[in-house]
Amino acid sequence: MASSHSSSPVPQSNSSDAFFKKEMDATKRFRPVQSLPDVCPKEPAGNVSDPSNLCDSPSLVVDQHRWTIYHSKVNLPAALNDPRLAKRESDFFTKTWGVDFVDTEVTPSFYLPQITKEHFASYQQEITPRERVHERCKNIYTPKDTLDGTLLHTHDKSRTDLEQVPKIFMKPDFALEDSLTFNAVLPWSHFSTAGGKGNRDAASSKLLQEKLSHYLDIVEVNIAHQISLRSEAFFHAMTSQHELQDYLRKTSQAVKLLREKISKIDKIMCEGSLRVLRLSLTRNNCIKAYNKLKLMATVHQTQPTVQLLLSTSEFVGALDLIATTQEVLQQELQGIHSFRHLGSQLCELEKLIDKMMIAEFSTYARNDLNRPLEDDCQILEEERLVSLVFGLLKQRKLNFYEIYGDEMIITAKNIIKQCVVNTVSQIEEIDTEVVVKLADQMRMMNFPQWFDLLKNIFSKFTVFLKRIKATLNTIRSVVFLVLDKNQKNRDLEDTLRKNSTKDSMVDTEVAYLTHEGMFISDAFSEGDLPPVAADTTTSQRNTSPNSEPCSSDSVSEPECATDSSSSKEQTSSSVTPGGVEMVISDDMKLTDLELVRLANNIQELLYNASDVCHDRSVKFLMARAKDGFLEKLNSNEFVALSCLMEGFILDTEQICGRKSMSLRGALQSQANRFVNRFHEERKTKLSLLLDNERWKQAEVPAEFQDLVDSVSDGRISLPEKKPAATEERKPTEFLIVEGQKYATVGTVLLLIRIILEYCQCVDNIPSITTDMLTRLSDLLKYFNSRSCQLVLGAGALQVVGLKTITTKNLALSSRCLQLIVHYIPIIRAHFEARLQPKQFSMLRHFDHIMKDYHDHVAEISAKLVAIMDSLFDKLLSKYEVKAPVPSACFRNICKQMAKMHEAIYDLLPEEQTQMLFLRINASYKLHLKRQLAHLNVVNDGGPLNGLVTSDVAFYTGNLQALKGLNNLDLNMAEIWEQKR
């Protein structure tokens, strides 16, 4: 609220006149009626005719820039409700036109004296000390009860008055625009104009108006009361406004003067310097604009340069150029209208490069795998391969190795097909016009031709795998170089992070010293600064704002732009195992996990290459085996095939570092079929030999003796066929084995050769060791059981047509069994050396066979003894003690003993012959003793005893006269009953 210039300030009381509320001046006894001087200013009262007292109304044109009464704004309720009045007048005129309408000042009486201050001087002097004491006491203790009571009474009264006003007027969201609020304040029932209720409605409306007026009065009284409590401060602020306006006017003049002085100083001292700075800034801006234009010209040449790089297959350089250009567009050339489409064009060009790289890598893989398979395993265009791999890694095309894998499978198929075509074209017996299918042409080859073809395929596959390994190793080396670069970058970042921590510590210390008012040179000397801090200080000094910007004469703008745009792309040089130097950039956004997974996938691709070669070889093998070709191979051919396949398997394992089981499984399957056929052929052959064997001693050819000698020398294999000598060696009667003579039959000689064939197959095909052991055990058991049936069981009588089984047949059979028993431990050791430790339990088959053979030999010996035992029983049962001496019985016995000796002596060793005749002698003594007891002949020195002694002496002499039995202890005293 503003006040007028004509308003007089409110008088303020001081300490000297604190007891006077109104000062009465004699010259101003008759004061005109005035309104509130600071609320509603009016023209000064006086004589209208006096020009000095005349107050002209302000002009809107002349006084438009100074404060006039028209700027005064007053709140009408505040003007009408003077809070300083003792009471409130409620009549119409007072309430409408204000207190000045009726409230006039009473004219002082001429009869009353004029009271001045001098009348109260004595009283004032008397009361002043008391008043001071009272003031001190009042300051010490304030009568709060009285004050609080007054305030509480006033507050209660105000609250009581305000409670008469309805609550709806006190709501913060009170608005008559709301229909509900409007109906609550002004009910429509008071405004009804029906029939005869007009007078009553008018009275009701007047009552409502009076009620609302009463509510307004209550609110205004309370507002006035609140204003009266703060009236002194309010009116003091109003009077202070004039002073503030004076202060502002002075301040405005001072500011105007200061501006004039500053303007003069600016013209004299600053304008030239600022112009120099402005021109320097303009020069720098021109240099920047020139550099920007040069950079734009360079960027404009990006697409032709990329096309030129792509024409020379420089994919990595093209991608780096595109990435650098994209970064320049986003950082330094952002918002340039002429380049608004260049970013999208570069993105499309980058996608095109992706497709071109994939197509180029596919072409490279095809050319690399389909080039002539010579013995060299050099990498085809290693630099081109490295560039392609880097480009694919840069674009995150991590499945590019699958393209190489697909080409690898196709090439493996073509290798076999080309080998078959080349081989078939060289064989004149195969008419390609008649036999159209390649598989049928291949099946028409004999084993040597097919074997040479398979050898050629395996050699091609070996070179093929070596070439694949060299290429994949180069790719893996590139991946590992990128992985190593990532690791170095992380180490560098860790180092920089540690250095930055040290820098921050130094900066903190410098800031602290500077804050404390010390110079840095006082804190450390030049040499005491850390190297990192020194470098940082130097770099800051070089890049300070006061440094001279790069000029066009000394700085190449494209180089500046390139350095600024690609400052984050640091590069390092590395060399591949093939000697190709590579530059690795830091924008390879590949994690270590992705790179390691890619390296593992590439290594797995090498394993897959081995599996592909094996699978194709298996299909080629199965295609030839459809007509039972492989099952018809003899042992030498199959061994040669097995050795060839085993060699190829070992070569692939050495190249690829992992075993492939498909070809090995196919070889094992064919080996099992070969073993079954091999065993069946040998068993059938042995069966035929045994069925045709007459069990007579056979001559031993020299080749069998050489075979036995090689086994004795530790070579368990069939000797190579020697060229026919000028003089053929004659066959021998016995087979000499480690100094012992063995009389054998032809079947056993062939059996030994068959056994060695089994052993040699085990050496040639180690995978069939267990199967061969089982089959050989079955063969040995078959020979033992079948020979027992033929000789001991007399089966040869019906099979071969022998008249009888003689003792010579039995002795020969026993010696043949002993020869096989001699070789069983050797065979067992041979198989044991080729079995796994967990397979040693299978050797028990040989232990069982040894026991069976020993039991068979013992049965033959028992059979020979039984033959003589039955003879003794037959002859001695008819023996009679009478002359002549020697008796016919003893002559016949000695004759049979001589025949027995003659039959077995050349077949059995001397020790076995002696043991056999000791057993026969024991049987003879038993039967003779039984007969003598039957005849009641005792050793009493009588005639009968003498006859018997003579016969026994004849028997002893004849028996000891036989060859090899002269030292035989017969102990004939046992024939006599011992006297008790």
Side-chain angles (χ1 to χ4, degrees):
M1 185 183 301
S3 63
S4 66
H5 286 282
S6 62
S7 62
S8 61
V10 178
Q12 302 292 330
S13 62
N14 52 24
S15 59
S16 62
D17 52 358
F19 297 99
F20 301 98
K21 298 298 180 180
K22 185 186 295 184
E23 182 178 359
M24 216 42 161
D25 192 356
T27 61
K28 298 182 179 180
R29 291 181 180 179
F30 304 100
R31 291 184 299 173
V33 178
Q34 296 181 0
S35 64
L36 293 177
D38 52 355
V39 176
C40 187
K42 294 184 178 181
E43 297 179 1
N47 192 359
V48 178
S49 62
D50 189 0
S52 61
N53 294 331
L54 182 61
C55 181
D56 298 332
S57 61
S59 173
L60 293 176
V61 178
V62 178
D63 301 325
Q64 59 180 342
H65 298 295
R66 64 186 181 88
W67 191 92
T68 63
I69 59 174
Y70 296 113
H71 291 85
S72 175
K73 298 178 178 61
V74 66
N75 189 359
L76 185 60
L80 296 178
N81 295 288
D82 190 356
R84 289 173 293 181
L85 295 180
K87 63 178 180 177
R88 175 175 174 79
E89 298 295 337
S90 59
D91 56 280
F92 173 79
F93 299 102
T94 302
K95 182 168 61 176
T96 304
W97 301 105
V99 293
D100 287 344
F101 189 82
V102 294
D103 188 12
T104 60
E105 187 174 345
V106 179
T107 304
S109 174
F110 296 99
Y111 302 102
L112 293 178
Q114 184 70 27
I115 303 300
T116 63
K117 288 184 178 181
E118 285 74 13
H119 293 86
F120 297 92
S122 60
Y123 176 78
Q124 186 176 1
Q125 292 176 359
E126 181 181 358
I127 205 64
T128 297
R130 295 181 184 179
E131 191 266 341
R132 292 176 180 171
V133 173
H134 174 71
E135 289 294 330
R136 284 198 301 269
C137 293
K138 186 171 65 173
N139 294 333
I140 296 173
Y141 175 75
T142 303
K144 295 176 63 177
D145 296 339
T146 305
L147 181 61
D148 292 344
T150 304
L151 293 175
L152 182 62
H153 174 73
T154 306
H155 181 67
D156 292 341
K157 182 179 180 182
S158 300
R159 178 181 297 176
T160 303
D161 294 338
L162 287 175
E163 287 179 353
Q164 298 178 11
V165 180
K167 300 299 181 182
I168 189 172
F169 294 103
M170 303 298 179
K171 290 183 179 181
D173 56 347
F174 177 81
L176 290 176
E177 292 83 357
D178 187 6
S179 59
L180 297 177
T181 305
F182 186 83
N183 293 330
V185 174
L186 300 172
W188 287 104
S189 59
H190 294 281
F191 302 98
S192 176
T193 58
K197 298 182 180 180
N199 296 332
R200 189 177 62 182
D201 292 340
S204 176
S205 299
K206 186 176 181 181
L207 180 61
L208 176 61
Q209 182 179 2
E210 292 295 332
K211 185 186 296 184
L212 294 177
S213 299
H214 177 64
Y215 293 158
L216 177 62
D217 293 341
I218 292 174
V219 173
E220 288 178 350
V221 167
N222 279 274
I223 292 175
H225 176 69
Q226 293 297 327
I227 293 175
S228 66
L229 295 178
R230 299 169 179 81
S231 61
E232 297 297 333
F234 175 75
F235 290 109
H236 176 68
M238 294 299 298
T239 56
S240 300
Q241 187 174 3
H242 301 296
E243 299 178 4
L244 291 176
Q245 290 176 355
D246 294 336
Y247 292 154
L248 287 175
R249 183 169 57 257
K250 295 178 181 179
T251 303
S252 175
Q253 294 175 356
V255 169
K256 181 178 179 181
L257 180 62
L258 181 60
R259 284 180 176 177
E260 292 177 353
K261 292 181 179 180
I262 290 175
S263 177
K264 293 179 181 179
I265 293 174
D266 180 53
K267 290 180 181 179
I268 297 173
M269 301 183 64
C270 301
E271 206 170 82
S273 301
L274 289 176
R275 185 170 178 273
V276 172
L277 292 177
R278 191 177 299 108
L279 291 176
S280 176
L281 181 61
T282 303
R283 177 177 177 273
N284 292 337
N285 291 336
C286 291
I287 292 174
K288 291 180 181 179
Y290 176 73
N291 292 336
K292 193 73 70 175
L293 291 174
K294 295 274 285 185
L295 180 60
M296 290 174 63
T298 304
V299 170
H300 184 66
Q301 296 298 323
T302 298
Q303 289 179 321
T305 306
V306 169
Q307 296 293 340
L308 182 61
L309 291 173
L310 292 180
S311 64
T312 58
S313 298
E314 290 290 339
F315 298 106
V316 178
L319 289 173
D320 289 338
L321 180 58
I322 290 175
T324 304
T325 306
Q326 291 278 25
E327 186 175 356
V328 170
L329 288 175
Q330 292 176 3
Q331 294 181 359
E332 300 187 17
L333 299 180
Q334 187 176 8
I336 294 180
H337 188 70
S338 60
F339 288 150
R340 64 188 184 277
H341 300 305
L342 183 58
S344 60
Q345 292 173 359
L346 292 178
C347 291
E348 293 298 327
L349 191 58
E350 189 173 359
K351 294 179 181 178
L352 177 62
I353 292 176
D354 291 347
K355 296 179 181 179
M356 291 179 63
M357 283 194 300
I358 293 175
E360 186 73 14
F361 185 79
S362 178
T363 304
Y364 175 84
R366 192 178 305 108
N367 295 336
D368 178 52
L369 296 174
N370 291 325
R371 57 187 167 137
L373 292 170
E374 300 174 356
D375 292 336
D376 64 326
C377 298
Q378 296 180 356
I379 302 173
L380 178 66
E381 300 179 9
E382 185 175 0
E383 295 182 359
R384 177 186 173 194
L385 174 62
V386 170
S387 176
L388 282 172
V389 173
F390 265 112
L392 292 169
L393 291 179
K394 187 179 181 68
Q395 296 302 105
R396 299 182 62 85
K397 303 296 181 182
L398 303 182
N399 58 344
F400 64 91
Y401 63 90
E402 297 177 358
I403 301 174
Y404 197 86
D406 297 337
E407 292 294 336
M408 183 178 64
I409 295 173
I410 297 173
T411 306
K413 294 179 182 179
N414 294 334
I415 287 175
I416 294 181
K417 183 177 180 180
Q418 189 63 36
C419 289
V420 174
V421 169
N422 293 338
T423 304
V424 169
S425 63
Q426 298 175 1
I427 300 175
E428 298 179 356
E429 292 82 1
I430 301 176
D431 189 357
T432 56
E433 296 180 358
V434 177
V435 183
V436 180
K437 291 185 178 180
L438 200 61
D440 296 336
Q441 296 174 1
M442 184 258 299
R443 294 189 187 98
M444 296 179 66
M445 300 178 187
N446 55 28
F447 178 76
Q449 295 170 344
W450 181 82
F451 186 78
D452 292 338
L453 172 60
L454 182 62
K455 186 186 296 185
N456 186 26
I457 291 174
F458 283 165
S459 63
K460 297 291 185 183
F461 274 157
T462 302
V463 178
F464 178 65
L465 289 177
K466 289 180 180 178
R467 187 171 294 170
I468 290 175
K469 181 179 181 181
T471 302
L472 294 182
N473 284 343
T474 301
I475 297 175
R476 291 183 80 235
S477 66
V478 173
V479 175
F480 283 132
L481 285 175
V482 176
L483 183 63
D484 183 62
K485 178 62 178 177
N486 288 351
Q487 182 65 35
K488 290 181 180 179
N489 288 340
R490 283 197 302 273
D491 296 340
L492 181 60
E493 289 176 0
D494 294 340
T495 305
L496 293 177
R497 191 180 299 108
K498 293 179 182 178
N499 293 338
S500 64
T501 304
K502 294 180 181 179
D503 291 346
S504 62
M505 294 175 61
V506 172
D507 293 341
T508 304
E509 189 172 359
V510 170
Y512 171 74
L513 294 174
T514 306
H515 176 71
E516 293 295 326
M518 298 177 62
F519 291 102
I520 297 178
S521 58
D522 298 335
F524 347 82
S525 63
E526 186 71 15
D528 295 337
L529 279 172
V532 178
D535 295 340
T536 306
T537 306
T538 304
S539 63
Q540 291 177 355
R541 188 182 301 114
N542 293 334
T543 59
S544 62
N546 296 327
S547 61
E548 184 71 13
C550 60
S551 63
S552 60
D553 298 332
S554 60
V555 180
S556 176
E557 291 78 4
E559 293 177 359
C560 291
T562 304
D563 293 341
S564 63
S565 63
S566 59
S567 59
K568 297 181 181 179
E569 295 185 6
Q570 301 176 358
T571 59
S572 62
S573 178
S574 302
V575 180
T576 62
V580 177
E581 185 175 356
M582 301 177 297
V583 178
I584 306 175
S585 60
D586 288 344
D587 58 347
M588 292 283 186
K589 306 302 182 182
L590 295 173
T591 63
D592 290 352
L593 180 61
E594 291 175 335
L595 292 172
V596 171
R597 186 183 296 115
L598 178 60
N600 294 335
N601 291 335
I602 294 172
Q603 184 64 34
E604 190 68 26
L605 185 60
L606 180 60
Y607 300 152
N608 294 338
S610 176
D611 294 338
V612 167
C613 293
H614 282 229
D615 293 341
R616 302 311 306 178
S617 299
V618 169
K619 290 184 179 180
F620 176 78
L621 200 66
M622 293 297 104
R624 189 66 184 91
K626 282 187 177 181
D627 54 354
F629 172 77
L630 298 179
E631 298 177 3
K632 298 176 184 178
L633 298 178
N634 57 38
S635 59
N636 293 331
E637 292 173 343
F638 188 82
V639 167
L641 176 62
S642 176
C643 292
L644 179 62
M645 296 175 66
E646 285 287 347
F648 176 69
I649 291 172
L650 293 177
D651 289 342
T652 55
E653 290 177 0
Q654 184 178 4
I655 294 172
C656 301
R658 191 178 73 172
K659 295 182 179 180
S660 296
M661 303 307 298
S662 58
L663 186 58
R664 192 181 297 274
L667 177 60
Q668 184 66 39
S669 176
Q670 293 298 326
N672 292 336
R673 297 178 185 177
F674 169 76
V675 168
N676 292 332
R677 184 182 56 82
F678 180 88
H679 177 64
E680 292 299 329
E681 289 180 356
R682 270 69 183 166
K683 189 173 182 180
T684 303
K685 182 177 179 180
L686 180 61
S687 177
L688 293 175
L689 290 173
L690 288 174
D691 290 343
N692 294 315
E693 182 60 56
R694 302 189 66 86
W695 296 101
K696 291 182 180 181
Q697 185 178 358
E699 293 181 348
V700 180
E703 59 176 338
F704 284 96
Q705 185 62 52
D706 295 339
L707 184 63
V708 171
D709 293 340
S710 65
V711 174
S712 300
D713 294 338
R715 298 189 304 273
I716 306 178
S717 61
L718 296 175
E720 297 180 359
K721 291 184 179 181
K722 298 179 180 180
T726 55
E727 295 181 0
E728 294 184 358
R729 291 183 296 172
K730 295 181 180 181
T732 59
E733 187 177 0
F734 296 96
L735 183 66
I736 308 302
V737 180
E738 296 181 1
Q740 292 188 10
K741 294 181 179 181
Y742 284 89
T744 62
V745 295
T747 301
V748 174
L749 292 176
L750 294 175
L751 177 60
I752 293 174
R753 184 179 181 88
I754 291 172
I755 291 173
L756 294 181
E757 288 177 356
Y758 275 82
C759 295
Q760 189 170 5
C761 279
V762 169
D763 290 337
N764 296 330
I765 313 175
S767 60
I768 61 174
T769 301
T770 55
D771 293 336
M772 278 295 184
L773 188 149
T774 305
R775 302 300 194 281
L776 181 57
S777 301
D778 180 67
L779 186 71
L780 293 175
K781 290 178 181 179
Y782 177 76
F783 173 76
N784 184 39
S785 60
R786 187 60 177 162
S787 61
C788 181
Q789 293 173 3
L790 293 174
V791 179
L792 282 178
L797 298 179
Q798 291 81 17
V799 176
V800 185
L802 296 179
K803 295 180 180 180
T804 181
I805 301 298
T806 63
T807 55
K808 191 170 187 177
N809 298 138
L810 292 172
L812 188 59
S813 175
S814 175
R815 194 58 175 161
C816 290
L817 292 174
Q818 292 174 19
L819 178 61
I820 301 302
V821 168
H822 173 78
Y823 284 108
I824 287 178
I826 299 175
I827 298 171
R828 185 182 191 278
H830 179 80
F831 276 90
E832 184 177 3
R834 287 152 182 80
L835 287 175
Q836 300 293 333
K838 61 182 179 180
Q839 298 173 339
F840 285 166
S841 60
M842 299 185 67
L843 297 174
R844 68 180 184 276
H845 294 298
F846 292 111
D847 299 332
H848 297 330
I849 292 171
M850 284 277 290
K851 182 178 180 301
D852 294 341
Y853 272 67
H854 282 302
D855 293 343
H856 192 181
V857 172
E859 289 178 3
I860 293 176
S861 299
K863 183 64 175 177
L864 293 173
V865 174
I867 291 174
M868 297 305 297
D869 184 77
S870 62
L871 179 64
F872 292 150
D873 185 38
K874 179 179 179 182
L875 294 176
L876 289 177
S877 62
K878 299 177 182 180
Y879 173 62
E880 295 180 358
V881 183
K882 62 180 181 178
V885 177
S887 62
C889 178
F890 273 80
R891 288 194 188 97
N892 197 6
I893 289 174
C894 290
K895 182 181 178 181
Q896 294 299 327
M897 293 287 280
K899 287 182 179 181
M900 170 68 75
H901 181 271
E902 182 181 1
I904 69 173
Y905 182 75
D906 293 335
L907 302 178
L908 298 178
E910 185 176 345
E911 296 80 8
Q912 293 185 19
T913 304
Q914 291 177 359
M915 291 299 298
L916 180 62
F917 273 91
L918 283 177
R919 292 178 63 186
I920 292 173
N921 182 57
S923 175
Y924 163 75
K925 290 189 291 183
L926 182 60
H927 286 285
L928 181 57
K929 183 178 181 180
R930 187 182 301 117
Q931 184 64 21
L932 292 177
H934 177 68
L935 296 176
N936 293 322
V937 177
V938 296
N939 189 12
D940 55 359
L944 296 177
N945 179 261
L947 292 174
V948 172
T949 302
S950 298
D951 286 338
V952 169
F954 175 77
Y955 166 79
T956 303
N958 279 282
L959 187 58
Q960 290 180 347
L962 296 175
K963 189 176 180 179
L965 301 180
N966 52 353
N967 297 324
L968 198 63
D969 185 11
L970 300 178
N971 193 12
M972 298 305 296
E974 293 180 356
I975 64 174
W976 303 105
E977 289 286 348
Q978 299 293 332
K979 294 182 181 180
R980 297 179 182 178

